[in-house]
Structures are given as structure tokens and as C-alpha cells.
Amino acid sequence: MADCIFCRIAAHEAPATIRYEDGDAVAFDDLGRRAPLHVLVIPRRHVASLAEADAATIGAVGAAAARVARDAGYAERGYRVVTNVGPEAGQSVPHLHFHVLAGRQLGWPPG
Ligand code: 5GP
Ligand code: ZN
């Protein structure tokens, strides 16, 4: 989608610090970092949210999220993967994204 910022990042048309990419998924640093590691993992193809994603897409994004956390050295310490769906969850960009957060003690439940 031409007017979607995450589609533009996936296409290298908008700047981002990309940590990992393959044919299906792209991972890049969140601009509003909330933890020492805060990466967004998205499908290359535009999908609005988890609610509209098929299993293959969710699998590709989930596997990329685990890889990013492992490659950043957080496999043992632990990390959180979360995706917001819709307004009450606070989804602000309508292109599916998994947040990968690590590097500090994370509170539960999220606010
Ligand atoms: P949401 O609130 O939808 O769960 O998460 C959207 C995230 O995208 C936010 O954490 C926000 O900081 C991040 N974000 C929004 N616009 C951009 C952008 O242009 N570049 C990057 N790297 N992150 C963005
Ligand atoms: Zn998009």
C-alpha cells in the first residue's frame, strides 16, 4: 500500500534501521524505543493486523521475531513479543507488527 509507512520501510523507500529481512518478513528498530531492544517485525506484504493474517504470515513474522531476539543475545534472559490489534489495544499503525522487547525487567500485565 503506497500510503502505508511500514510498506514503505519494507520496500526500502522510507528510512529505518533494519535488523533482519527475508522474503516474507522485515525487522527494524522502533522509533519510539521502550526497552533496550525494541524491534518491530512485519510481514513484507500489507496485512492490517493479526486478525487478518493467515497462518503462514503469522509463522514467518513469529519466526523472524524469535530470530531477532536470539541474534541480539536475549535467548536466555528472555524477551516479550506482543502485537496490538485495534483501538483499545492501542494499535496505531494498520500494518501487522510484532513488537520484540528485551533488555530490562518487563512489567505484567502491560498497561
Ligand atoms: P502500535 O502502537 O501500533 O502497537 O505500534 C506502532 C509502533 O510503530 C510504535 O511503537 C511507534 O513508535 C512505531 N512507529 C511509528 N511510526 C514509525 C516509523 O516511521 N518508523 C519506525 N521505525 N517506527 C515507527
Ligand atoms: Zn502496509
Side-chain angles (χ1 to χ4, degrees):
M1 262 173 65
D3 60 347
C4 171
I5 181 61
F6 286 0
C7 281
R8 296 186 65 230
I9 287 172
H12 298 183
E13 292 169 6
T17 301
I18 293 179
R19 290 197 176 239
Y20 172 78
E21 60 185 322
D22 60 29
D24 300 312
V26 182
F28 54 94
D29 287 349
D30 192 301
L31 266 188
R33 190 165 64 93
R34 298 297 194 98
L37 180 77
H38 187 174
V39 172
L40 300 174
V41 187
I42 66 170
R44 210 173 265 290
R45 188 172 59 83
H46 184 88
V47 181
S49 78
L50 183 72
E52 293 168 36
D54 60 25
T57 299
I58 296 164
V61 173
R67 174 195 281 253
V68 164
R70 187 186 66 231
D71 289 352
Y74 292 105
E76 301 301 325
R77 286 174 65 182
Y79 55 91
R80 180 168 297 159
V81 179
V82 65
T83 187
N84 296 317
V85 181
E88 284 205 0
Q91 183 178 3
S92 60
V93 179
H95 180 134
L96 171 64
H97 47 284
F98 284 7
H99 296 258
V100 182
L101 298 145
R104 65 172 171 80
Q105 188 63 49
L106 297 164
W108 189 263

XYZ file of all heavy atoms in Angstrom:
850
model
N 0.842 -1.207 0.000
C 0.000 0.000 0.000
C 0.867 1.242 0.000
O 1.714 1.403 0.877
C -0.887 0.010 1.249
C -2.288 -0.501 0.988
S -3.212 -0.663 2.522
C -3.304 1.063 3.020
N 0.655 2.112 -0.956
C 1.558 3.240 -1.172
C 1.610 4.194 0.016
O 2.660 4.760 0.310
C 1.132 3.990 -2.426
N 0.484 4.371 0.715
C 0.471 5.362 1.797
C 0.700 4.726 3.166
O 0.451 5.351 4.187
C -0.845 6.143 1.787
C -2.043 5.216 1.982
O -1.867 3.977 1.868
O -3.136 5.725 2.245
N 1.214 3.491 3.206
C 1.474 2.800 4.472
C 2.959 2.924 4.806
O 3.814 2.465 4.031
C 1.073 1.329 4.372
S 1.589 0.346 5.792
N 3.269 3.508 5.953
C 4.670 3.748 6.313
C 5.431 2.430 6.446
O 6.612 2.347 6.050
C 4.782 4.599 7.606
C 6.238 4.865 7.956
C 4.057 3.970 8.774
C 7.026 5.628 6.937
N 4.809 1.381 6.956
C 5.540 0.120 7.121
C 5.759 -0.575 5.775
O 6.799 -1.214 5.571
C 4.832 -0.790 8.125
C 4.995 -0.340 9.570
C 5.723 0.806 9.904
C 4.419 -1.060 10.609
C 5.866 1.222 11.227
C 4.569 -0.656 11.936
C 5.281 0.483 12.248
N 4.821 -0.444 4.853
C 5.077 -0.948 3.491
C 6.258 -0.211 2.877
O 7.099 -0.816 2.196
C 3.843 -0.760 2.609
S 2.547 -1.989 2.844
N 6.350 1.088 3.136
C 7.439 1.880 2.557
C 8.789 1.487 3.187
O 9.805 1.427 2.499
C 7.151 3.369 2.716
C 5.907 3.788 1.929
C 5.685 5.284 1.956
N 6.778 5.954 1.261
C 7.464 6.979 1.761
N 7.165 7.447 2.963
N 8.422 7.519 1.071
N 8.787 1.194 4.483
C 10.020 0.715 5.128
C 10.406 -0.647 4.542
O 11.576 -0.884 4.214
C 9.834 0.653 6.662
C 9.816 2.078 7.242
C 10.934 -0.183 7.311
C 9.442 2.156 8.719
N 9.428 -1.531 4.367
C 9.716 -2.870 3.826
C 10.291 -2.786 2.417
O 11.123 -3.614 2.026
C 8.447 -3.717 3.843
N 9.863 -1.778 1.677
C 10.342 -1.600 0.304
C 11.610 -0.751 0.226
O 12.071 -0.427 -0.875
C 9.244 -0.955 -0.532
N 12.144 -0.373 1.392
C 13.348 0.479 1.473
C 13.090 1.854 0.862
O 14.005 2.500 0.378
C 14.555 -0.179 0.803
C 14.971 -1.474 1.435
N 16.058 -2.200 1.023
C 14.452 -2.173 2.457
C 16.178 -3.288 1.748
N 15.211 -3.298 2.632
N 11.850 2.287 0.904
C 11.507 3.617 0.387
C 11.443 4.652 1.498
O 11.381 5.851 1.221
C 10.156 3.558 -0.341
C 10.207 2.744 -1.630
C 8.831 2.453 -2.207
O 7.823 2.971 -1.677
O 8.771 1.683 -3.181
N 11.400 4.184 2.742
C 11.434 5.073 3.907
C 12.545 4.558 4.819
O 12.783 3.345 4.884
C 10.090 5.071 4.628
N 13.240 5.464 5.524
C 14.388 5.038 6.323
C 13.996 4.254 7.577
O 12.969 4.538 8.200
C 15.057 6.364 6.697
C 13.981 7.391 6.601
C 13.022 6.918 5.559
N 14.832 3.297 7.934
C 14.671 2.544 9.178
C 15.971 1.787 9.406
O 16.714 1.491 8.460
C 13.505 1.569 9.086
N 16.241 1.466 10.670
C 17.387 0.630 10.995
C 16.931 -0.823 10.930
O 16.308 -1.344 11.861
C 17.929 0.976 12.395
O 18.292 2.354 12.400
C 19.143 0.128 12.732
N 17.204 -1.456 9.808
C 16.725 -2.816 9.577
C 17.697 -3.811 10.211
O 18.904 -3.754 9.973
C 16.535 -3.075 8.070
C 15.377 -2.202 7.561
C 16.271 -4.554 7.789
C 15.074 -2.329 6.090
N 17.152 -4.706 11.025
C 17.969 -5.705 11.728
C 17.965 -7.050 11.031
O 18.885 -7.844 11.193
C 17.447 -5.905 13.148
C 17.693 -4.709 14.021
C 17.543 -5.094 15.459
N 17.879 -3.960 16.311
C 18.837 -4.002 17.213
N 19.557 -5.097 17.377
N 19.076 -2.951 17.963
N 16.889 -7.328 10.327
C 16.757 -8.624 9.662
C 15.700 -8.495 8.578
O 14.732 -7.747 8.750
C 16.321 -9.713 10.668
C 15.990 -11.016 9.999
C 16.990 -11.873 9.564
C 14.658 -11.375 9.758
C 16.682 -13.061 8.905
C 14.344 -12.557 9.108
C 15.354 -13.386 8.679
O 15.051 -14.551 8.028
N 15.901 -9.184 7.475
C 14.826 -9.284 6.487
C 15.004 -10.550 5.670
O 16.115 -11.036 5.463
C 14.758 -8.040 5.592
C 15.988 -7.734 4.791
C 15.849 -6.398 4.037
O 14.755 -6.072 3.544
O 16.863 -5.683 3.953
N 13.864 -11.081 5.251
C 13.870 -12.204 4.311
C 12.714 -11.975 3.344
O 12.166 -10.857 3.277
C 13.807 -13.544 5.060
C 12.566 -13.709 5.919
O 11.510 -13.122 5.577
O 12.623 -14.435 6.928
N 12.358 -12.977 2.592
C 11.322 -12.784 1.583
C 9.949 -12.468 2.146
O 9.111 -11.884 1.463
N 9.732 -12.845 3.407
C 8.397 -12.698 3.995
C 8.302 -11.655 5.097
O 7.217 -11.137 5.353
C 7.949 -14.045 4.587
C 7.899 -15.134 3.538
O 7.323 -14.882 2.460
O 8.441 -16.223 3.790
N 9.414 -11.377 5.781
C 9.361 -10.540 6.979
C 10.513 -9.535 6.999
O 11.577 -9.773 6.419
C 9.423 -11.414 8.234
N 10.262 -8.419 7.687
C 11.276 -7.377 7.861
C 11.249 -6.948 9.325
O 10.164 -6.769 9.903
C 10.984 -6.145 6.960
C 12.072 -5.095 7.113
C 10.840 -6.560 5.495
N 12.430 -6.777 9.930
C 12.535 -6.361 11.333
C 13.380 -5.101 11.413
O 14.476 -5.044 10.850
C 13.176 -7.470 12.164
N 12.863 -4.098 12.121
C 13.578 -2.816 12.213
C 13.317 -2.193 13.574
O 12.311 -2.472 14.240
C 13.128 -1.864 11.085
C 11.639 -1.650 11.000
C 11.031 -0.590 11.636
C 10.832 -2.538 10.292
C 9.657 -0.386 11.565
C 9.451 -2.363 10.216
C 8.866 -1.284 10.855
N 14.244 -1.316 14.002
C 14.127 -0.677 15.307
C 12.907 0.238 15.353
O 12.647 1.001 14.411
C 15.386 0.151 15.609
C 16.587 -0.720 15.942
O 16.423 -1.933 16.138
O 17.700 -0.157 16.006
N 12.177 0.177 16.483
C 11.044 1.075 16.707
C 11.578 2.489 16.963
O 12.519 2.675 17.732
C 10.236 0.582 17.918
C 8.892 1.267 18.040
O 8.854 2.511 18.153
O 7.872 0.557 18.041
N 10.957 3.468 16.334
C 11.382 4.867 16.514
C 11.191 5.330 17.955
O 11.960 6.166 18.433
C 10.549 5.790 15.603
C 11.088 6.147 14.236
C 10.203 7.221 13.608
C 12.521 6.665 14.340
N 10.168 4.837 18.619
C 9.884 5.246 20.000
C 10.284 4.164 20.971
O 9.452 3.613 21.678
N 11.565 3.889 21.052
C 12.088 2.728 21.785
C 11.616 2.709 23.242
O 11.762 3.704 23.959
C 13.619 2.776 21.726
C 14.315 1.547 22.216
C 15.767 1.541 21.773
N 16.533 2.629 22.341
C 17.247 2.540 23.470
N 17.281 1.408 24.126
N 17.903 3.586 23.915
N 11.045 1.571 23.681
C 10.522 1.423 25.048
C 11.344 0.460 25.892
O 10.983 0.185 27.040
C 9.077 0.924 25.008
C 8.110 1.852 24.310
C 8.000 3.195 25.034
N 6.845 3.950 24.554
C 5.655 3.984 25.190
N 5.485 3.340 26.312
N 4.673 4.691 24.691
N 12.408 -0.080 25.326
C 13.281 -1.017 26.042
C 14.615 -1.015 25.303
O 14.688 -0.564 24.153
C 12.667 -2.414 26.052
N 15.683 -1.500 25.952
C 16.987 -1.510 25.265
C 16.930 -2.161 23.888
O 17.593 -1.705 22.964
C 17.873 -2.276 26.253
C 17.301 -1.902 27.586
C 15.804 -1.889 27.364
N 16.163 -3.236 23.754
C 15.857 -3.780 22.422
C 14.371 -3.567 22.185
O 13.532 -4.008 22.982
C 16.169 -5.282 22.349
C 15.869 -5.907 20.973
C 16.957 -5.543 19.957
C 15.728 -7.427 21.068
N 14.043 -2.860 21.120
C 12.637 -2.682 20.743
C 12.580 -2.684 19.220
O 12.882 -1.684 18.560
C 12.063 -1.386 21.305
C 10.562 -1.258 21.085
N 9.838 -0.225 21.628
C 9.675 -2.030 20.404
C 8.549 -0.362 21.265
N 8.446 -1.442 20.514
N 12.226 -3.845 18.713
C 12.210 -4.070 17.263
C 10.773 -4.361 16.838
O 10.008 -4.989 17.584
C 13.141 -5.258 16.919
C 13.019 -5.656 15.459
C 14.589 -4.903 17.250
N 10.413 -3.896 15.678
C 9.122 -4.238 15.069
C 9.368 -5.245 13.958
O 10.283 -5.052 13.148
C 8.460 -2.985 14.487
C 8.163 -1.863 15.475
C 7.644 -0.632 14.733
C 7.169 -2.303 16.541
N 8.593 -6.306 13.944
C 8.705 -7.308 12.889
C 7.397 -7.315 12.116
O 6.315 -7.463 12.712
C 8.997 -8.708 13.466
C 9.290 -9.689 12.338
C 10.170 -8.652 14.446
N 7.500 -7.145 10.811
C 6.302 -7.008 9.975
C 6.360 -7.990 8.804
O 7.442 -8.382 8.370
C 6.175 -5.569 9.420
C 7.315 -5.226 8.449
C 6.110 -4.553 10.556
C 7.114 -3.918 7.685
N 5.195 -8.356 8.287
C 5.195 -9.071 7.007
C 5.498 -8.080 5.887
O 5.084 -6.915 5.951
C 3.768 -9.612 6.899
C 2.935 -8.668 7.705
C 3.834 -8.146 8.809
N 6.225 -8.545 4.891
C 6.541 -7.680 3.751
C 5.250 -7.244 3.033
O 5.123 -6.121 2.579
C 7.447 -8.460 2.794
C 8.384 -7.633 2.013
C 9.352 -8.497 1.237
N 10.608 -8.723 1.925
C 11.539 -7.787 2.124
N 11.358 -6.558 1.718
N 12.655 -8.089 2.745
N 4.322 -8.178 2.971
C 3.042 -7.922 2.291
C 2.081 -7.233 3.265
O 1.991 -7.612 4.428
C 2.466 -9.271 1.846
C 1.251 -9.215 0.970
C 0.918 -10.622 0.462
N 0.669 -11.563 1.557
C -0.498 -11.682 2.183
N -1.520 -10.951 1.839
N -0.640 -12.558 3.168
N 1.363 -6.253 2.796
C 0.473 -5.497 3.685
C -0.675 -6.360 4.211
O -1.449 -6.917 3.445
C -0.111 -4.275 2.971
C -0.952 -3.429 3.888
N -0.413 -2.417 4.649
C -2.264 -3.494 4.214
C -1.374 -1.874 5.394
N -2.510 -2.507 5.145
N -0.757 -6.432 5.543
C -1.880 -7.057 6.242
C -2.182 -6.126 7.404
O -1.258 -5.688 8.110
C -1.511 -8.458 6.785
C -2.701 -9.083 7.483
C -1.023 -9.366 5.678
N -3.461 -5.813 7.629
C -3.791 -4.755 8.587
C -3.444 -5.125 10.031
O -2.983 -4.279 10.800
C -5.266 -4.402 8.471
N -3.677 -6.373 10.398
C -3.426 -6.764 11.794
C -3.420 -8.284 11.883
O -3.697 -8.991 10.901
C -4.510 -6.213 12.725
O -5.699 -6.994 12.625
N -3.156 -8.778 13.091
C -3.195 -10.224 13.342
C -4.545 -10.818 12.925
O -4.614 -11.948 12.440
C -2.937 -10.489 14.826
C -2.870 -11.957 15.244
C -1.593 -12.606 14.734
C -2.945 -12.084 16.764
N -5.593 -10.048 13.090
C -6.941 -10.548 12.822
C -7.128 -10.911 11.355
O -8.009 -11.713 11.031
C -7.973 -9.506 13.245
N -6.331 -10.327 10.487
C -6.495 -10.561 9.052
C -5.357 -11.362 8.437
O -5.324 -11.563 7.218
C -6.643 -9.217 8.331
C -7.944 -8.538 8.710
C -8.023 -7.102 8.275
O -7.513 -6.781 7.195
O -8.589 -6.297 9.041
N -4.417 -11.815 9.267
C -3.242 -12.518 8.746
C -3.494 -14.021 8.666
O -4.158 -14.599 9.532
C -2.050 -12.239 9.654
N -2.940 -14.656 7.641
C -3.057 -16.110 7.556
C -1.924 -16.764 8.362
O -0.985 -16.098 8.820
C -3.084 -16.587 6.103
C -1.835 -16.222 5.314
O -0.764 -16.033 5.933
O -1.929 -16.123 4.082
N -2.029 -18.075 8.521
C -1.102 -18.788 9.403
C 0.345 -18.698 8.900
O 1.287 -18.578 9.698
C -1.532 -20.245 9.540
N 0.527 -18.742 7.592
C 1.886 -18.664 7.047
C 2.528 -17.317 7.361
O 3.714 -17.241 7.712
C 1.850 -18.904 5.543
N 1.742 -16.264 7.259
C 2.256 -14.923 7.561
C 2.618 -14.806 9.041
O 3.688 -14.308 9.402
C 1.201 -13.868 7.175
O 0.954 -13.968 5.773
C 1.667 -12.465 7.530
N 1.720 -15.283 9.895
C 1.984 -15.233 11.340
C 3.224 -16.057 11.668
O 4.059 -15.648 12.484
C 0.754 -15.737 12.120
C -0.438 -14.806 11.881
C 1.065 -15.853 13.617
C -1.780 -15.406 12.291
N 3.369 -17.197 11.013
C 4.538 -18.037 11.250
C 5.825 -17.353 10.842
O 6.822 -17.402 11.571
N 5.814 -16.711 9.695
C 7.026 -16.038 9.209
C 7.412 -14.894 10.125
O 8.601 -14.706 10.450
C 6.797 -15.527 7.784
N 6.428 -14.132 10.568
C 6.711 -12.984 11.429
C 7.152 -13.473 12.816
O 8.100 -12.929 13.408
C 5.481 -12.051 11.501
C 5.694 -10.938 12.512
C 5.197 -11.459 10.120
N 6.497 -14.511 13.318
C 6.882 -15.047 14.624
C 8.283 -15.633 14.621
O 9.068 -15.414 15.553
N 8.618 -16.365 13.569
C 9.964 -16.945 13.487
C 11.014 -15.847 13.371
O 12.088 -15.936 13.986
C 10.038 -17.885 12.286
N 10.726 -14.804 12.622
C 11.670 -13.688 12.497
C 11.830 -12.968 13.837
O 12.934 -12.549 14.196
C 11.203 -12.720 11.412
N 10.741 -12.841 14.602
C 10.822 -12.192 15.914
C 11.754 -12.973 16.842
O 12.611 -12.395 17.524
C 9.428 -12.071 16.528
N 11.599 -14.283 16.876
C 12.463 -15.111 17.730
C 13.915 -15.032 17.267
O 14.844 -14.985 18.081
C 11.969 -16.553 17.714
N 14.124 -14.984 15.990
C 15.488 -14.894 15.458
C 16.148 -13.570 15.854
O 17.309 -13.543 16.260
C 15.454 -15.017 13.936
C 16.816 -14.793 13.286
C 16.660 -14.561 11.800
N 16.475 -15.809 11.101
C 17.412 -16.381 10.342
N 18.585 -15.802 10.200
N 17.177 -17.494 9.725
N 15.397 -12.479 15.744
C 15.944 -11.162 16.102
C 16.338 -11.142 17.585
O 17.414 -10.658 17.954
C 14.910 -10.057 15.791
C 15.260 -8.758 16.496
C 14.819 -9.844 14.278
N 15.465 -11.678 18.441
C 15.772 -11.696 19.876
C 17.004 -12.557 20.153
O 17.896 -12.169 20.925
C 14.569 -12.220 20.655
N 17.091 -13.704 19.518
C 18.242 -14.599 19.705
C 19.519 -13.940 19.196
O 20.539 -13.927 19.888
C 17.988 -15.913 18.973
C 19.031 -16.981 19.230
C 18.805 -18.214 18.357
N 19.010 -17.900 16.955
C 18.145 -18.176 15.980
N 16.990 -18.756 16.266
N 18.412 -17.854 14.739
N 19.451 -13.355 18.012
C 20.644 -12.732 17.430
C 21.116 -11.524 18.241
O 22.291 -11.167 18.198
C 20.375 -12.307 15.974
C 20.264 -13.505 15.037
O 20.542 -14.641 15.480
O 19.890 -13.300 13.864
N 20.189 -10.884 18.958
C 20.566 -9.744 19.805
C 21.062 -10.213 21.173
O 21.452 -9.382 22.005
C 19.384 -8.792 19.959
N 21.018 -11.524 21.438
C 21.603 -12.070 22.661
C 20.630 -12.256 23.811
O 21.051 -12.409 24.953
N 19.326 -12.270 23.529
C 18.338 -12.336 24.603
C 17.657 -13.704 24.738
O 16.656 -13.819 25.449
C 17.288 -11.234 24.423
C 17.872 -9.859 24.638
C 18.134 -9.020 23.564
C 18.207 -9.418 25.911
C 18.691 -7.765 23.748
C 18.771 -8.167 26.117
C 19.009 -7.351 25.032
O 19.570 -6.115 25.227
N 18.194 -14.718 24.122
C 17.542 -16.034 24.183
C 17.437 -16.541 25.618
O 16.413 -17.115 26.007
C 18.297 -17.033 23.314
N 18.481 -16.325 26.424
C 18.482 -16.845 27.791
C 17.775 -15.900 28.754
O 16.983 -16.334 29.598
C 19.935 -17.079 28.258
C 20.704 -18.062 27.386
C 20.039 -19.430 27.330
O 19.459 -19.866 28.338
O 20.081 -20.054 26.257
N 18.059 -14.602 28.664
C 17.453 -13.630 29.584
C 15.953 -13.539 29.381
O 15.201 -13.298 30.317
C 18.072 -12.242 29.372
C 19.486 -12.105 29.913
C 20.075 -10.762 29.539
N 19.359 -9.641 30.159
C 19.670 -8.366 29.951
N 20.652 -8.047 29.140
N 18.998 -7.411 30.554
N 15.524 -13.654 28.150
C 14.105 -13.579 27.840
C 13.734 -12.272 27.168
O 14.489 -11.301 27.180
N 12.565 -12.301 26.599
C 12.076 -11.149 25.833
C 10.568 -11.283 25.682
O 9.985 -12.316 26.034
C 12.761 -11.089 24.462
C 12.638 -12.346 23.632
C 11.594 -12.512 22.737
C 13.558 -13.392 23.780
C 11.479 -13.679 21.983
C 13.448 -14.555 23.024
C 12.409 -14.685 22.129
O 12.291 -15.838 21.382
N 9.939 -10.241 25.216
C 8.490 -10.262 25.008
C 8.173 -9.960 23.558
O 8.777 -9.067 22.957
C 7.807 -9.236 25.912
C 6.278 -9.215 25.751
C 5.615 -8.418 26.845
N 5.858 -9.043 28.136
C 5.772 -8.400 29.306
N 5.459 -7.127 29.345
N 6.020 -9.036 30.431
N 7.197 -10.703 23.026
C 6.673 -10.443 21.683
C 5.193 -10.139 21.847
O 4.451 -10.926 22.439
C 6.866 -11.660 20.761
C 6.288 -11.382 19.370
C 8.350 -12.023 20.663
N 4.784 -8.971 21.357
C 3.395 -8.555 21.537
C 2.906 -7.847 20.281
O 3.688 -7.166 19.599
C 3.259 -7.647 22.784
C 4.008 -6.336 22.615
C 1.810 -7.375 23.119
N 1.632 -8.046 19.972
C 1.042 -7.319 18.847
C -0.278 -6.722 19.293
O -1.084 -7.387 19.956
C 0.874 -8.236 17.612
O 0.461 -7.450 16.497
C -0.119 -9.363 17.834
N -0.475 -5.459 18.999
C -1.706 -4.768 19.346
C -2.678 -4.867 18.174
O -2.282 -4.685 17.024
C -1.410 -3.306 19.684
C -0.541 -3.167 20.916
O -0.762 -3.865 21.904
N 0.451 -2.292 20.874
N -3.931 -5.162 18.494
C -4.968 -5.292 17.459
C -6.106 -4.339 17.812
O -6.780 -4.525 18.825
C -5.499 -6.739 17.374
C -6.557 -6.851 16.284
C -4.362 -7.731 17.119
N -6.269 -3.312 16.990
C -7.421 -2.427 17.150
C -7.232 -1.334 18.183
O -6.211 -1.261 18.878
N -8.240 -0.451 18.273
C -8.106 0.788 19.060
C -7.914 0.577 20.555
O -7.097 1.275 21.173
C -9.401 1.548 18.757
C -10.313 0.592 18.075
C -9.477 -0.493 17.479
N -8.625 -0.345 21.188
C -8.471 -0.463 22.646
C -7.119 -1.044 23.030
O -6.648 -0.849 24.149
C -9.622 -1.286 23.256
C -10.893 -0.488 23.347
C -11.850 -0.964 24.425
O -11.558 -1.937 25.150
O -12.939 -0.344 24.528
N -6.480 -1.748 22.123
C -5.127 -2.256 22.385
C -4.074 -1.206 22.052
O -2.896 -1.379 22.388
C -4.879 -3.523 21.592
N -4.490 -0.144 21.369
C -3.550 0.934 21.046
C -2.819 0.745 19.734
O -1.748 1.329 19.538
N -3.386 -0.058 18.819
C -2.717 -0.204 17.513
C -2.767 1.125 16.782
O -3.847 1.661 16.516
C -3.387 -1.301 16.665
C -2.650 -1.504 15.330
C -3.258 -2.617 14.470
O -4.264 -3.207 14.823
N -2.626 -2.878 13.344
N -1.589 1.661 16.457
C -1.523 2.981 15.831
C -1.081 2.921 14.376
O -1.219 3.919 13.661
C -0.593 3.899 16.628
O 0.713 3.362 16.681
N -0.548 1.798 13.939
C -0.160 1.644 12.530
C -0.897 0.409 11.994
O -0.704 -0.699 12.506
C 1.367 1.461 12.372
C 1.728 1.271 10.897
C 2.117 2.656 12.953
N -1.751 0.589 10.973
C -2.572 -0.521 10.495
C -1.864 -1.428 9.493
O -2.364 -1.692 8.401
C -3.778 0.194 9.868
C -3.219 1.486 9.373
C -2.127 1.872 10.348
N -0.672 -1.879 9.882
C 0.080 -2.913 9.157
C 0.609 -3.823 10.258
O 1.327 -3.351 11.155
C 1.212 -2.268 8.337
C 2.059 -3.221 7.542
N 2.406 -2.991 6.227
C 2.648 -4.387 7.879
C 3.172 -3.980 5.786
N 3.341 -4.840 6.789
N 0.248 -5.107 10.209
C 0.618 -6.051 11.269
C 2.072 -5.877 11.707
O 2.981 -5.822 10.867
C 0.412 -7.482 10.760
C 0.953 -8.620 11.649
C 0.237 -8.655 12.980
C 0.849 -9.954 10.933
N 2.290 -5.771 13.010
C 3.660 -5.695 13.529
C 3.711 -6.366 14.889
O 2.837 -6.180 15.717
C 4.166 -4.250 13.621
C 3.207 -3.289 14.256
N 2.101 -2.800 13.606
C 3.192 -2.714 15.485
C 1.442 -1.984 14.400
N 2.073 -1.924 15.555
N 4.764 -7.171 15.074
C 5.067 -7.752 16.366
C 6.144 -6.879 17.004
O 7.188 -6.641 16.394
C 5.620 -9.174 16.213
C 4.596 -10.235 15.890
C 3.283 -9.929 15.602
C 4.983 -11.577 15.890
C 2.360 -10.930 15.300
C 4.061 -12.580 15.588
C 2.759 -12.265 15.296
N 5.881 -6.394 18.215
C 6.925 -5.717 18.982
C 7.791 -6.794 19.638
O 7.259 -7.728 20.256
C 6.321 -4.875 20.102
C 5.460 -3.732 19.663
N 5.901 -2.428 19.666
C 4.184 -3.696 19.222
C 4.916 -1.639 19.251
N 3.865 -2.380 18.977
N 9.104 -6.652 19.564
C 10.035 -7.505 20.306
C 10.748 -6.599 21.304
O 11.446 -5.654 20.906
C 11.061 -8.183 19.381
C 11.985 -9.090 20.193
C 10.354 -8.982 18.288
N 10.521 -6.859 22.585
C 11.055 -6.015 23.661
C 11.961 -6.853 24.551
O 11.604 -7.975 24.934
C 9.903 -5.457 24.490
C 8.928 -4.556 23.728
C 7.513 -4.732 24.235
C 9.348 -3.099 23.838
N 13.120 -6.293 24.912
C 14.059 -7.029 25.767
C 15.058 -6.059 26.368
O 15.180 -4.910 25.949
C 14.791 -8.090 24.944
N 15.770 -6.563 27.403
C 16.876 -5.801 27.964
C 16.565 -5.132 29.284
O 17.426 -4.457 29.853
N 15.362 -5.300 29.792
C 15.004 -4.817 31.126
C 13.891 -5.710 31.662
O 13.259 -6.456 30.899
C 14.551 -3.352 31.094
C 13.271 -3.096 30.319
C 12.794 -1.668 30.514
N 11.706 -1.289 29.641
C 10.415 -1.590 29.835
N 10.044 -2.327 30.888
N 9.485 -1.183 28.988
N 13.653 -5.624 32.975
C 12.548 -6.392 33.543
C 11.243 -5.799 33.033
O 10.986 -4.610 33.219
C 12.596 -6.352 35.069
C 11.599 -7.291 35.727
C 11.875 -8.760 35.409
O 12.995 -9.224 35.536
N 10.856 -9.479 34.982
N 10.439 -6.602 32.387
C 9.204 -6.117 31.779
C 8.033 -6.353 32.725
O 7.890 -7.449 33.281
C 8.969 -6.832 30.442
C 10.050 -6.558 29.384
C 9.978 -7.583 28.252
C 9.926 -5.137 28.822
N 7.209 -5.337 32.925
C 6.060 -5.471 33.812
C 4.954 -6.315 33.196
O 4.857 -6.452 31.977
N 4.135 -6.890 34.087
C 2.991 -7.667 33.623
C 1.812 -7.415 34.536
O 2.013 -7.400 35.752
C 3.321 -9.175 33.595
C 2.230 -9.948 32.919
C 1.189 -10.619 33.529
C 2.027 -10.071 31.507
N 0.374 -11.158 32.577
C 0.851 -10.848 31.336
C 2.705 -9.597 30.393
C 0.342 -11.138 30.054
C 2.208 -9.904 29.136
C 1.034 -10.680 28.983
N 0.605 -7.208 34.023
C 0.286 -7.132 32.596
C 0.710 -5.793 32.007
O 0.892 -4.827 32.751
C -1.236 -7.278 32.575
C -1.688 -6.688 33.876
C -0.604 -7.017 34.874
N 0.842 -5.741 30.678
C 1.136 -4.465 30.032
C 0.002 -3.475 30.341
O -1.136 -3.877 30.502
C 1.167 -4.796 28.540
C 1.299 -6.275 28.460
C 0.682 -6.831 29.715
N 0.306 -2.210 30.389
C -0.695 -1.206 30.740
C -1.752 -1.033 29.671
O -1.613 -1.506 28.567
P 1.410 0.141 17.819
O 1.105 1.344 18.675
O 0.606 0.172 16.534
O 1.335 -1.167 18.511
O 2.933 0.277 17.417
C 3.365 1.129 16.408
C 4.815 1.391 16.673
O 5.384 1.899 15.482
C 5.081 2.415 17.773
O 5.851 1.788 18.799
C 5.849 3.532 17.064
O 6.906 4.034 17.852
C 6.363 2.844 15.819
N 6.483 3.687 14.648
C 5.522 4.512 14.125
N 5.950 5.095 13.004
C 7.223 4.621 12.798
C 8.195 4.853 11.778
O 8.003 5.614 10.825
N 9.382 4.189 11.900
C 9.633 3.332 12.936
N 10.833 2.740 12.960
N 8.749 3.090 13.908
C 7.548 3.727 13.839
Zn 1.492 -1.707 4.893
